[in-house]
Structure formats: C-alpha cells, structure tokens
Amino acid sequence: MPTSRLQELLRSFDDRGVAAEFCQYVLGRLVAYDRAHNADLFRTLQVYFRCGGNAVEAAEQLFLHRNSLLYRLQRIETLLGIDLKDPHDRLTANLAVEFAELLQNLPDAEEALR
C-alpha cells in the first residue's frame, strides 16, 4: 500500500503523542460516548468523510436510512461542539479521524484514542 501524504506528515512528528493528543482533544468526547452507549458515531463520521460528505452514499454504506444518518451527524456535531458545514470545523474533525486511523495502523504508535 502506498504511503499517503498524511502518513508522511505523521511520521515526520518527533513525538507522535502530539497527534494522539490532537485526536483525543478533537474526538475524545465522541469516542467516550460510543463506549458508554455502545454507539457507532466514530465509524459514522469516518464513513461520512470517506464519502466526501455525501449523506446518501454514507447512509447506503452504513445500511442506514438517510434521516438516521442525518440524526447521527447532528449528534456528532453536538457532542464535538462543531458544525460540519463549517470548513474549519470539518477539516479539524477530518484530520483527527485520519490521524486516529493512521496512529492505530502504525506498528510503533500509541493508541490514538483511549
């Protein structure tokens, strides 16, 4: 699998703990909610970003009705205190999701989200 630019950026950090702290800061409440409520909101956000913000496509991949996906996205926004329509909030959340995935897939990295 080719190395992505995000992987290159993450590997350039002297301390991957910085990236892990960023993930925790941005996504910590979402992950905690998922664990406490046996929810799948983190995965919902991952798929939504993978689909380029296309709610219909994301709903199909998650086997959800579009309205159920929209409800989940609203819940995510509330938990994280963000607006996914805001480009800065969206970039921050998307970057945190990408870093969390990369950290979990790098052999010598700490777990990004606890």
Side-chain angles (χ1 to χ4, degrees):
M1 178 166 105
T3 302
S4 75
R5 294 195 187 266
L6 278 176
Q7 287 172 326
E8 291 174 19
L9 176 63
L10 183 57
R11 286 191 178 114
S12 74
F13 291 162
D14 289 333
D15 180 4
R16 290 197 181 122
V18 172
E21 286 175 22
F22 174 74
C23 292
Q24 179 59 35
Y25 175 77
V26 175
L27 301 171
R29 286 176 285 183
L30 185 66
V31 172
Y33 181 90
D34 275 357
R35 288 185 179 147
H37 297 92
N38 198 27
D40 207 14
L41 297 179
F42 180 78
R43 174 88 175 116
T44 298
L45 191 58
Q46 284 177 306
V47 171
Y48 178 72
F49 285 144
R50 293 290 168 275
C51 293
N54 183 322
V56 172
E57 185 180 337
E60 287 174 3
Q61 286 192 20
L62 291 165
F63 303 103
L64 294 172
H65 187 277
R66 182 179 168 273
N67 290 341
S68 295
L69 175 75
L70 295 176
Y71 172 78
R72 285 185 182 191
L73 293 174
Q74 199 171 39
R75 186 75 188 123
I76 290 166
E77 288 178 322
T78 300
L79 284 167
L80 298 182
I82 64 171
D83 178 357
L84 289 171
K85 291 175 215 75
D86 177 271
H88 295 103
D89 285 352
R90 186 183 184 102
L91 175 63
T92 300
N94 198 351
L95 188 58
V97 166
E98 291 288 336
F99 275 180
E101 291 173 2
L102 291 173
L103 285 168
Q104 291 171 355
N105 290 321
L106 293 174
D108 60 338
E110 298 176 34
E111 182 178 319
L113 303 168
R114 296 179 197 251

Short mmCIF file of all heavy atoms in Angstrom, two decimals, residues 25-90:
data_model
loop_
_atom_site.label_atom_id
_atom_site.label_comp_id
_atom_site.label_asym_id
_atom_site.label_seq_id
_atom_site.Cartn_x
_atom_site.Cartn_y
_atom_site.Cartn_z
N TYR A 25 -8.20 15.41 21.87
CA TYR A 25 -8.81 16.73 22.07
C TYR A 25 -10.04 16.91 21.16
O TYR A 25 -11.09 17.37 21.60
CB TYR A 25 -7.78 17.83 21.79
CG TYR A 25 -8.36 19.22 21.84
CD1 TYR A 25 -8.63 19.84 23.07
CD2 TYR A 25 -8.63 19.92 20.67
CE1 TYR A 25 -9.17 21.10 23.12
CE2 TYR A 25 -9.16 21.20 20.72
CZ TYR A 25 -9.44 21.79 21.93
OH TYR A 25 -9.98 23.04 21.98
N VAL A 26 -9.91 16.51 19.91
CA VAL A 26 -10.99 16.71 18.94
C VAL A 26 -12.08 15.65 19.07
O VAL A 26 -13.27 15.96 19.03
CB VAL A 26 -10.44 16.74 17.50
CG1 VAL A 26 -11.56 16.83 16.47
CG2 VAL A 26 -9.46 17.89 17.33
N LEU A 27 -11.69 14.39 19.24
CA LEU A 27 -12.64 13.28 19.15
C LEU A 27 -12.93 12.56 20.47
O LEU A 27 -13.75 11.65 20.49
CB LEU A 27 -12.11 12.25 18.14
CG LEU A 27 -11.89 12.74 16.72
CD1 LEU A 27 -11.17 11.68 15.91
CD2 LEU A 27 -13.20 13.14 16.08
N GLY A 28 -12.26 12.97 21.52
CA GLY A 28 -12.39 12.24 22.78
C GLY A 28 -13.81 12.07 23.28
O GLY A 28 -14.21 10.98 23.71
N ARG A 29 -14.61 13.12 23.22
CA ARG A 29 -16.00 13.03 23.70
C ARG A 29 -16.80 12.07 22.85
O ARG A 29 -17.67 11.34 23.36
CB ARG A 29 -16.66 14.40 23.72
CG ARG A 29 -16.15 15.28 24.87
CD ARG A 29 -16.74 16.65 24.80
NE ARG A 29 -16.02 17.31 23.70
CZ ARG A 29 -16.19 18.55 23.33
NH1 ARG A 29 -17.07 19.30 23.92
NH2 ARG A 29 -15.48 19.07 22.35
N LEU A 30 -16.52 12.03 21.56
CA LEU A 30 -17.24 11.14 20.66
C LEU A 30 -16.91 9.68 20.97
O LEU A 30 -17.80 8.84 21.06
CB LEU A 30 -16.87 11.47 19.21
CG LEU A 30 -17.60 10.71 18.12
CD1 LEU A 30 -19.08 11.07 18.12
CD2 LEU A 30 -16.99 11.01 16.77
N VAL A 31 -15.64 9.40 21.16
CA VAL A 31 -15.22 8.04 21.47
C VAL A 31 -15.77 7.61 22.83
O VAL A 31 -16.24 6.48 23.00
CB VAL A 31 -13.68 7.92 21.40
CG1 VAL A 31 -13.20 6.58 21.90
CG2 VAL A 31 -13.20 8.16 19.97
N ALA A 32 -15.73 8.51 23.79
CA ALA A 32 -16.28 8.20 25.12
C ALA A 32 -17.78 7.92 25.04
O ALA A 32 -18.28 6.98 25.68
CB ALA A 32 -16.00 9.36 26.08
N TYR A 33 -18.48 8.69 24.24
CA TYR A 33 -19.92 8.46 24.05
C TYR A 33 -20.16 7.09 23.42
O TYR A 33 -21.03 6.35 23.86
CB TYR A 33 -20.52 9.56 23.18
CG TYR A 33 -22.00 9.41 22.98
CD1 TYR A 33 -22.90 10.00 23.87
CD2 TYR A 33 -22.51 8.68 21.92
CE1 TYR A 33 -24.26 9.86 23.69
CE2 TYR A 33 -23.87 8.53 21.73
CZ TYR A 33 -24.75 9.13 22.61
OH TYR A 33 -26.10 8.97 22.45
N ASP A 34 -19.39 6.77 22.39
CA ASP A 34 -19.53 5.47 21.74
C ASP A 34 -19.34 4.33 22.73
O ASP A 34 -20.11 3.37 22.74
CB ASP A 34 -18.50 5.31 20.60
CG ASP A 34 -18.96 5.90 19.28
OD1 ASP A 34 -20.11 6.39 19.20
OD2 ASP A 34 -18.16 5.88 18.33
N ARG A 35 -18.33 4.44 23.57
CA ARG A 35 -18.06 3.38 24.54
C ARG A 35 -19.15 3.29 25.60
O ARG A 35 -19.58 2.20 25.97
CB ARG A 35 -16.71 3.61 25.20
CG ARG A 35 -15.57 3.32 24.25
CD ARG A 35 -14.23 3.43 24.91
NE ARG A 35 -13.19 3.12 23.94
CZ ARG A 35 -12.01 3.68 23.93
NH1 ARG A 35 -11.67 4.56 24.86
NH2 ARG A 35 -11.12 3.36 23.01
N ALA A 36 -19.62 4.43 26.08
CA ALA A 36 -20.63 4.45 27.14
C ALA A 36 -22.00 3.99 26.65
O ALA A 36 -22.77 3.41 27.42
CB ALA A 36 -20.73 5.85 27.74
N HIS A 37 -22.30 4.23 25.39
CA HIS A 37 -23.63 3.94 24.86
C HIS A 37 -23.64 2.85 23.80
O HIS A 37 -24.66 2.65 23.13
CB HIS A 37 -24.25 5.23 24.30
CG HIS A 37 -24.45 6.28 25.33
ND1 HIS A 37 -23.51 7.25 25.60
CD2 HIS A 37 -25.48 6.49 26.19
CE1 HIS A 37 -23.96 8.03 26.56
NE2 HIS A 37 -25.14 7.59 26.95
N ASN A 38 -22.52 2.17 23.65
CA ASN A 38 -22.41 1.14 22.62
C ASN A 38 -22.89 1.67 21.27
O ASN A 38 -23.64 1.02 20.56
CB ASN A 38 -23.17 -0.14 23.02
CG ASN A 38 -22.72 -1.33 22.23
OD1 ASN A 38 -21.59 -1.40 21.75
ND2 ASN A 38 -23.62 -2.29 22.07
N ALA A 39 -22.44 2.89 20.96
CA ALA A 39 -22.84 3.55 19.72
C ALA A 39 -21.74 3.38 18.67
O ALA A 39 -20.70 2.80 18.95
CB ALA A 39 -23.09 5.03 19.99
N ASP A 40 -21.99 3.90 17.51
CA ASP A 40 -21.04 3.76 16.40
C ASP A 40 -20.86 5.10 15.69
O ASP A 40 -20.77 5.15 14.47
CB ASP A 40 -21.58 2.70 15.44
CG ASP A 40 -20.49 2.00 14.65
OD1 ASP A 40 -19.30 2.13 15.03
OD2 ASP A 40 -20.82 1.33 13.66
N LEU A 41 -20.79 6.18 16.46
CA LEU A 41 -20.71 7.50 15.87
C LEU A 41 -19.35 7.79 15.25
O LEU A 41 -19.28 8.48 14.23
CB LEU A 41 -21.07 8.58 16.90
CG LEU A 41 -22.51 8.51 17.44
CD1 LEU A 41 -22.75 9.61 18.46
CD2 LEU A 41 -23.52 8.57 16.32
N PHE A 42 -18.28 7.28 15.84
CA PHE A 42 -16.96 7.47 15.25
C PHE A 42 -16.92 6.85 13.85
O PHE A 42 -16.48 7.47 12.89
CB PHE A 42 -15.86 6.89 16.14
CG PHE A 42 -14.48 7.07 15.58
CD1 PHE A 42 -13.83 8.29 15.66
CD2 PHE A 42 -13.82 6.02 14.95
CE1 PHE A 42 -12.55 8.46 15.13
CE2 PHE A 42 -12.55 6.18 14.42
CZ PHE A 42 -11.91 7.40 14.52
N ARG A 43 -17.40 5.64 13.74
CA ARG A 43 -17.45 4.95 12.43
C ARG A 43 -18.34 5.73 11.46
O ARG A 43 -18.02 5.85 10.28
CB ARG A 43 -17.97 3.52 12.62
CG ARG A 43 -18.20 2.78 11.33
CD ARG A 43 -16.96 2.06 10.86
NE ARG A 43 -17.29 1.27 9.68
CZ ARG A 43 -16.75 1.51 8.49
NH1 ARG A 43 -15.86 2.45 8.34
NH2 ARG A 43 -17.08 0.78 7.47
N THR A 44 -19.44 6.26 11.95
CA THR A 44 -20.32 7.06 11.11
C THR A 44 -19.56 8.25 10.53
O THR A 44 -19.65 8.53 9.34
CB THR A 44 -21.53 7.57 11.93
OG1 THR A 44 -22.28 6.44 12.40
CG2 THR A 44 -22.43 8.46 11.10
N LEU A 45 -18.79 8.93 11.37
CA LEU A 45 -18.02 10.07 10.91
C LEU A 45 -16.95 9.65 9.91
O LEU A 45 -16.74 10.33 8.89
CB LEU A 45 -17.39 10.78 12.12
CG LEU A 45 -16.77 12.16 11.87
CD1 LEU A 45 -17.79 13.13 11.29
CD2 LEU A 45 -16.18 12.70 13.16
N GLN A 46 -16.29 8.52 10.16
CA GLN A 46 -15.29 8.01 9.22
C GLN A 46 -15.91 7.79 7.84
O GLN A 46 -15.36 8.23 6.82
CB GLN A 46 -14.74 6.67 9.70
CG GLN A 46 -13.76 6.73 10.81
CD GLN A 46 -13.34 5.32 11.23
OE1 GLN A 46 -14.18 4.48 11.53
NE2 GLN A 46 -12.05 5.09 11.26
N VAL A 47 -17.01 7.08 7.81
CA VAL A 47 -17.66 6.76 6.53
C VAL A 47 -18.15 8.03 5.85
O VAL A 47 -18.00 8.19 4.64
CB VAL A 47 -18.80 5.74 6.74
CG1 VAL A 47 -19.62 5.56 5.46
CG2 VAL A 47 -18.24 4.40 7.22
N TYR A 48 -18.72 8.93 6.61
CA TYR A 48 -19.20 10.19 6.05
C TYR A 48 -18.07 10.95 5.36
O TYR A 48 -18.23 11.43 4.24
CB TYR A 48 -19.83 11.02 7.17
CG TYR A 48 -20.32 12.37 6.74
CD1 TYR A 48 -21.46 12.51 5.96
CD2 TYR A 48 -19.67 13.53 7.15
CE1 TYR A 48 -21.92 13.76 5.57
CE2 TYR A 48 -20.12 14.78 6.78
CZ TYR A 48 -21.25 14.90 6.00
OH TYR A 48 -21.70 16.14 5.62
N PHE A 49 -16.91 11.02 6.01
CA PHE A 49 -15.77 11.68 5.39
C PHE A 49 -15.28 10.91 4.17
O PHE A 49 -14.89 11.50 3.16
CB PHE A 49 -14.64 11.89 6.40
CG PHE A 49 -14.89 12.99 7.39
CD1 PHE A 49 -14.45 12.85 8.69
CD2 PHE A 49 -15.54 14.15 7.03
CE1 PHE A 49 -14.66 13.86 9.63
CE2 PHE A 49 -15.77 15.17 7.95
CZ PHE A 49 -15.32 15.02 9.25
N ARG A 50 -15.25 9.58 4.24
CA ARG A 50 -14.80 8.77 3.11
C ARG A 50 -15.69 8.98 1.88
O ARG A 50 -15.26 8.83 0.75
CB ARG A 50 -14.81 7.28 3.44
CG ARG A 50 -13.82 6.82 4.47
CD ARG A 50 -12.38 6.87 3.97
NE ARG A 50 -11.47 6.70 5.06
CZ ARG A 50 -11.04 7.68 5.85
NH1 ARG A 50 -11.45 8.91 5.68
NH2 ARG A 50 -10.20 7.45 6.83
N CYS A 51 -16.95 9.30 2.14
CA CYS A 51 -17.91 9.53 1.07
C CYS A 51 -17.94 11.00 0.64
O CYS A 51 -18.85 11.42 -0.07
CB CYS A 51 -19.31 9.09 1.51
SG CYS A 51 -19.46 7.31 1.74
N GLY A 52 -16.96 11.76 1.08
CA GLY A 52 -16.86 13.15 0.68
C GLY A 52 -18.01 14.02 1.18
O GLY A 52 -18.35 15.01 0.55
N GLY A 53 -18.60 13.61 2.29
CA GLY A 53 -19.70 14.37 2.84
C GLY A 53 -21.03 14.11 2.16
O GLY A 53 -22.01 14.81 2.40
N ASN A 54 -21.08 13.08 1.33
CA ASN A 54 -22.31 12.71 0.64
C ASN A 54 -23.15 11.85 1.59
O ASN A 54 -22.84 10.67 1.81
CB ASN A 54 -21.98 11.96 -0.65
CG ASN A 54 -23.20 11.61 -1.46
OD1 ASN A 54 -24.25 11.26 -0.93
ND2 ASN A 54 -23.05 11.70 -2.77
N ALA A 55 -24.22 12.43 2.12
CA ALA A 55 -25.04 11.74 3.12
C ALA A 55 -25.74 10.52 2.54
O ALA A 55 -25.88 9.50 3.22
CB ALA A 55 -26.06 12.71 3.72
N VAL A 56 -26.20 10.61 1.30
CA VAL A 56 -26.89 9.47 0.69
C VAL A 56 -25.94 8.28 0.55
O VAL A 56 -26.27 7.16 0.94
CB VAL A 56 -27.50 9.87 -0.69
CG1 VAL A 56 -28.05 8.66 -1.41
CG2 VAL A 56 -28.56 10.94 -0.50
N GLU A 57 -24.75 8.54 0.04
CA GLU A 57 -23.76 7.47 -0.13
C GLU A 57 -23.33 6.89 1.22
O GLU A 57 -23.22 5.68 1.39
CB GLU A 57 -22.55 8.00 -0.89
CG GLU A 57 -21.53 6.93 -1.23
CD GLU A 57 -20.34 7.49 -2.00
OE1 GLU A 57 -20.46 8.55 -2.64
OE2 GLU A 57 -19.28 6.83 -1.94
N ALA A 58 -23.09 7.77 2.19
CA ALA A 58 -22.68 7.30 3.52
C ALA A 58 -23.77 6.46 4.16
O ALA A 58 -23.50 5.41 4.75
CB ALA A 58 -22.33 8.49 4.41
N ALA A 59 -25.01 6.89 4.03
CA ALA A 59 -26.13 6.13 4.59
C ALA A 59 -26.20 4.74 3.96
O ALA A 59 -26.41 3.74 4.67
CB ALA A 59 -27.44 6.88 4.38
N GLU A 60 -25.99 4.67 2.65
CA GLU A 60 -26.01 3.38 1.97
C GLU A 60 -24.90 2.47 2.49
O GLU A 60 -25.12 1.29 2.75
CB GLU A 60 -25.87 3.57 0.46
CG GLU A 60 -27.10 4.13 -0.20
CD GLU A 60 -26.90 4.46 -1.67
OE1 GLU A 60 -25.80 4.20 -2.21
OE2 GLU A 60 -27.84 4.99 -2.28
N GLN A 61 -23.69 3.01 2.64
CA GLN A 61 -22.57 2.19 3.11
C GLN A 61 -22.77 1.73 4.55
O GLN A 61 -22.27 0.67 4.93
CB GLN A 61 -21.26 2.96 2.97
CG GLN A 61 -20.80 3.07 1.54
CD GLN A 61 -19.37 3.56 1.42
OE1 GLN A 61 -18.59 3.51 2.35
NE2 GLN A 61 -19.04 4.07 0.25
N LEU A 62 -23.47 2.53 5.33
CA LEU A 62 -23.72 2.18 6.74
C LEU A 62 -25.02 1.41 6.92
O LEU A 62 -25.38 1.05 8.03
CB LEU A 62 -23.75 3.45 7.60
CG LEU A 62 -22.41 4.15 7.75
CD1 LEU A 62 -22.61 5.57 8.29
CD2 LEU A 62 -21.49 3.36 8.66
N PHE A 63 -25.72 1.16 5.81
CA PHE A 63 -27.01 0.47 5.84
C PHE A 63 -28.00 1.19 6.75
O PHE A 63 -28.68 0.58 7.58
CB PHE A 63 -26.84 -1.01 6.26
CG PHE A 63 -25.90 -1.76 5.37
CD1 PHE A 63 -24.61 -2.04 5.79
CD2 PHE A 63 -26.29 -2.15 4.09
CE1 PHE A 63 -23.72 -2.72 4.96
CE2 PHE A 63 -25.41 -2.83 3.26
CZ PHE A 63 -24.12 -3.11 3.70
N LEU A 64 -28.06 2.50 6.58
CA LEU A 64 -28.96 3.35 7.35
C LEU A 64 -29.89 4.10 6.42
O LEU A 64 -29.56 4.35 5.26
CB LEU A 64 -28.17 4.41 8.14
CG LEU A 64 -27.24 3.98 9.25
CD1 LEU A 64 -26.44 5.17 9.74
CD2 LEU A 64 -28.03 3.36 10.38
N HIS A 65 -31.03 4.50 6.95
CA HIS A 65 -31.88 5.46 6.24
C HIS A 65 -31.18 6.81 6.29
O HIS A 65 -30.50 7.13 7.27
CB HIS A 65 -33.26 5.53 6.91
CG HIS A 65 -34.25 6.35 6.15
ND1 HIS A 65 -34.30 7.72 6.26
CD2 HIS A 65 -35.21 5.99 5.27
CE1 HIS A 65 -35.26 8.18 5.48
NE2 HIS A 65 -35.82 7.14 4.87
N ARG A 66 -31.33 7.60 5.27
CA ARG A 66 -30.66 8.91 5.20
C ARG A 66 -30.98 9.76 6.43
O ARG A 66 -30.10 10.42 6.99
CB ARG A 66 -31.07 9.64 3.92
CG ARG A 66 -30.38 10.98 3.75
CD ARG A 66 -30.83 11.64 2.43
NE ARG A 66 -30.38 13.01 2.39
CZ ARG A 66 -31.06 14.04 2.90
NH1 ARG A 66 -32.22 13.84 3.50
NH2 ARG A 66 -30.60 15.26 2.81
N ASN A 67 -32.23 9.73 6.88
CA ASN A 67 -32.61 10.52 8.06
C ASN A 67 -31.89 10.03 9.31
O ASN A 67 -31.56 10.84 10.18
CB ASN A 67 -34.12 10.50 8.27
CG ASN A 67 -34.86 11.29 7.22
OD1 ASN A 67 -34.27 12.13 6.53
ND2 ASN A 67 -36.14 11.03 7.06
N SER A 68 -31.65 8.73 9.41
CA SER A 68 -30.91 8.19 10.56
C SER A 68 -29.47 8.69 10.53
O SER A 68 -28.91 9.05 11.57
CB SER A 68 -30.92 6.66 10.54
OG SER A 68 -32.24 6.19 10.71
N LEU A 69 -28.88 8.73 9.34
CA LEU A 69 -27.53 9.25 9.22
C LEU A 69 -27.50 10.73 9.61
O LEU A 69 -26.61 11.16 10.35
CB LEU A 69 -26.98 9.08 7.81
CG LEU A 69 -25.61 9.74 7.62
CD1 LEU A 69 -24.52 8.90 8.28
CD2 LEU A 69 -25.30 9.98 6.18
N LEU A 70 -28.46 11.50 9.12
CA LEU A 70 -28.50 12.93 9.45
C LEU A 70 -28.66 13.14 10.95
O LEU A 70 -28.05 14.06 11.52
CB LEU A 70 -29.62 13.62 8.67
CG LEU A 70 -29.44 13.65 7.15
CD1 LEU A 70 -30.65 14.29 6.47
CD2 LEU A 70 -28.16 14.37 6.76
N TYR A 71 -29.45 12.29 11.60
CA TYR A 71 -29.59 12.38 13.05
C TYR A 71 -28.24 12.10 13.73
O TYR A 71 -27.84 12.81 14.65
CB TYR A 71 -30.65 11.41 13.57
CG TYR A 71 -30.68 11.35 15.07
CD1 TYR A 71 -31.31 12.35 15.80
CD2 TYR A 71 -30.04 10.32 15.76
CE1 TYR A 71 -31.31 12.33 17.19
CE2 TYR A 71 -30.04 10.29 17.15
CZ TYR A 71 -30.67 11.29 17.85
OH TYR A 71 -30.66 11.26 19.23
N ARG A 72 -27.56 11.07 13.27
CA ARG A 72 -26.24 10.75 13.84
C ARG A 72 -25.25 11.90 13.65
O ARG A 72 -24.50 12.23 14.56
CB ARG A 72 -25.67 9.48 13.20
CG ARG A 72 -26.30 8.20 13.67
CD ARG A 72 -25.56 7.03 13.06
NE ARG A 72 -26.15 5.77 13.44
CZ ARG A 72 -25.56 4.60 13.21
NH1 ARG A 72 -24.39 4.53 12.60
NH2 ARG A 72 -26.16 3.48 13.58
N LEU A 73 -25.24 12.49 12.47
CA LEU A 73 -24.34 13.61 12.21
C LEU A 73 -24.66 14.79 13.12
O LEU A 73 -23.75 15.46 13.62
CB LEU A 73 -24.39 14.02 10.74
CG LEU A 73 -23.84 13.00 9.75
CD1 LEU A 73 -24.10 13.46 8.31
CD2 LEU A 73 -22.36 12.73 9.98
N GLN A 74 -25.94 15.01 13.35
CA GLN A 74 -26.35 16.08 14.27
C GLN A 74 -25.87 15.78 15.68
O GLN A 74 -25.38 16.66 16.39
CB GLN A 74 -27.88 16.18 14.23
CG GLN A 74 -28.45 17.46 14.72
CD GLN A 74 -29.94 17.51 14.43
OE1 GLN A 74 -30.65 16.52 14.55
NE2 GLN A 74 -30.41 18.68 14.04
N ARG A 75 -25.97 14.54 16.08
CA ARG A 75 -25.50 14.12 17.41
C ARG A 75 -23.98 14.31 17.50
O ARG A 75 -23.47 14.76 18.53
CB ARG A 75 -25.88 12.66 17.66
CG ARG A 75 -25.58 12.17 19.03
CD ARG A 75 -26.61 12.72 20.01
NE ARG A 75 -26.21 12.41 21.36
CZ ARG A 75 -26.01 13.32 22.31
NH1 ARG A 75 -26.24 14.58 22.09
NH2 ARG A 75 -25.61 12.95 23.50
N ILE A 76 -23.26 13.95 16.47
CA ILE A 76 -21.80 14.13 16.42
C ILE A 76 -21.45 15.61 16.58
O ILE A 76 -20.57 15.96 17.36
CB ILE A 76 -21.23 13.54 15.11
CG1 ILE A 76 -21.31 12.01 15.13
CG2 ILE A 76 -19.79 14.01 14.88
CD1 ILE A 76 -21.08 11.35 13.78
N GLU A 77 -22.14 16.45 15.83
CA GLU A 77 -21.88 17.89 15.92
C GLU A 77 -22.11 18.41 17.35
O GLU A 77 -21.31 19.19 17.86
CB GLU A 77 -22.79 18.66 14.95
CG GLU A 77 -22.40 18.50 13.51
CD GLU A 77 -23.34 19.22 12.57
OE1 GLU A 77 -24.56 19.23 12.81
OE2 GLU A 77 -22.84 19.79 11.58
N THR A 78 -23.17 17.94 17.97
CA THR A 78 -23.48 18.36 19.34
C THR A 78 -22.40 17.88 20.31
O THR A 78 -21.91 18.66 21.14
CB THR A 78 -24.86 17.82 19.77
OG1 THR A 78 -25.85 18.35 18.88
CG2 THR A 78 -25.19 18.22 21.20
N LEU A 79 -22.03 16.63 20.21
CA LEU A 79 -21.02 16.07 21.11
C LEU A 79 -19.67 16.77 20.95
O LEU A 79 -18.98 17.02 21.95
CB LEU A 79 -20.84 14.57 20.85
CG LEU A 79 -21.92 13.66 21.40
CD1 LEU A 79 -21.78 12.27 20.81
CD2 LEU A 79 -21.85 13.60 22.91
N LEU A 80 -19.29 17.07 19.73
CA LEU A 80 -17.98 17.66 19.47
C LEU A 80 -17.99 19.18 19.50
O LEU A 80 -16.94 19.81 19.48
CB LEU A 80 -17.43 17.18 18.13
CG LEU A 80 -17.18 15.67 18.01
CD1 LEU A 80 -16.59 15.35 16.65
CD2 LEU A 80 -16.28 15.17 19.13
N GLY A 81 -19.18 19.77 19.51
CA GLY A 81 -19.27 21.22 19.50
C GLY A 81 -18.77 21.82 18.19
O GLY A 81 -18.09 22.85 18.19
N ILE A 82 -19.10 21.15 17.10
CA ILE A 82 -18.66 21.60 15.78
C ILE A 82 -19.85 21.72 14.85
O ILE A 82 -20.94 21.23 15.14
CB ILE A 82 -17.61 20.65 15.15
CG1 ILE A 82 -18.21 19.27 14.89
CG2 ILE A 82 -16.37 20.56 16.02
CD1 ILE A 82 -17.32 18.35 14.08
N ASP A 83 -19.61 22.33 13.69
CA ASP A 83 -20.58 22.41 12.61
C ASP A 83 -19.91 21.82 11.38
O ASP A 83 -18.94 22.39 10.87
CB ASP A 83 -20.96 23.87 12.38
CG ASP A 83 -21.95 24.07 11.24
OD1 ASP A 83 -22.31 23.08 10.56
OD2 ASP A 83 -22.36 25.22 11.02
N LEU A 84 -20.37 20.68 10.94
CA LEU A 84 -19.74 20.01 9.80
C LEU A 84 -19.88 20.78 8.49
O LEU A 84 -19.21 20.46 7.52
CB LEU A 84 -20.29 18.59 9.64
CG LEU A 84 -19.83 17.61 10.71
CD1 LEU A 84 -20.60 16.29 10.62
CD2 LEU A 84 -18.34 17.36 10.63
N LYS A 85 -20.72 21.82 8.48
CA LYS A 85 -20.81 22.68 7.30
C LYS A 85 -19.73 23.76 7.32
O LYS A 85 -19.45 24.37 6.29
CB LYS A 85 -22.20 23.30 7.21
CG LYS A 85 -23.29 22.30 6.90
CD LYS A 85 -24.65 22.96 6.94
CE LYS A 85 -25.70 22.04 7.47
NZ LYS A 85 -25.68 21.80 8.89
N ASP A 86 -19.14 23.99 8.47
CA ASP A 86 -18.06 24.97 8.59
C ASP A 86 -16.76 24.33 8.11
O ASP A 86 -16.36 23.28 8.61
CB ASP A 86 -17.92 25.41 10.04
CG ASP A 86 -16.77 26.39 10.23
OD1 ASP A 86 -15.63 25.91 10.47
OD2 ASP A 86 -17.01 27.59 10.14
N PRO A 87 -16.08 24.95 7.13
CA PRO A 87 -14.89 24.31 6.57
C PRO A 87 -13.77 24.07 7.58
O PRO A 87 -13.08 23.05 7.50
CB PRO A 87 -14.43 25.27 5.48
CG PRO A 87 -15.28 26.47 5.55
CD PRO A 87 -16.41 26.21 6.48
N HIS A 88 -13.61 24.95 8.55
CA HIS A 88 -12.55 24.76 9.55
C HIS A 88 -12.88 23.62 10.51
O HIS A 88 -12.02 22.79 10.82
CB HIS A 88 -12.29 26.07 10.31
CG HIS A 88 -11.75 27.15 9.44
ND1 HIS A 88 -12.53 28.18 8.99
CD2 HIS A 88 -10.52 27.33 8.90
CE1 HIS A 88 -11.81 28.97 8.22
NE2 HIS A 88 -10.59 28.47 8.14
N ASP A 89 -14.13 23.59 10.97
CA ASP A 89 -14.55 22.50 11.85
C ASP A 89 -14.45 21.16 11.13
O ASP A 89 -14.00 20.16 11.69
CB ASP A 89 -15.99 22.70 12.32
CG ASP A 89 -16.14 23.78 13.37
OD1 ASP A 89 -15.10 24.29 13.88
OD2 ASP A 89 -17.29 24.12 13.71
N ARG A 90 -14.89 21.15 9.88
CA ARG A 90 -14.87 19.92 9.08
C ARG A 90 -13.44 19.43 8.87
O ARG A 90 -13.13 18.25 9.03
CB ARG A 90 -15.55 20.19 7.75
CG ARG A 90 -15.72 18.97 6.90
CD ARG A 90 -16.35 19.42 5.57
NE ARG A 90 -16.62 18.28 4.77
CZ ARG A 90 -17.81 17.74 4.62
NH1 ARG A 90 -18.86 18.26 5.19
NH2 ARG A 90 -17.96 16.68 3.87
#
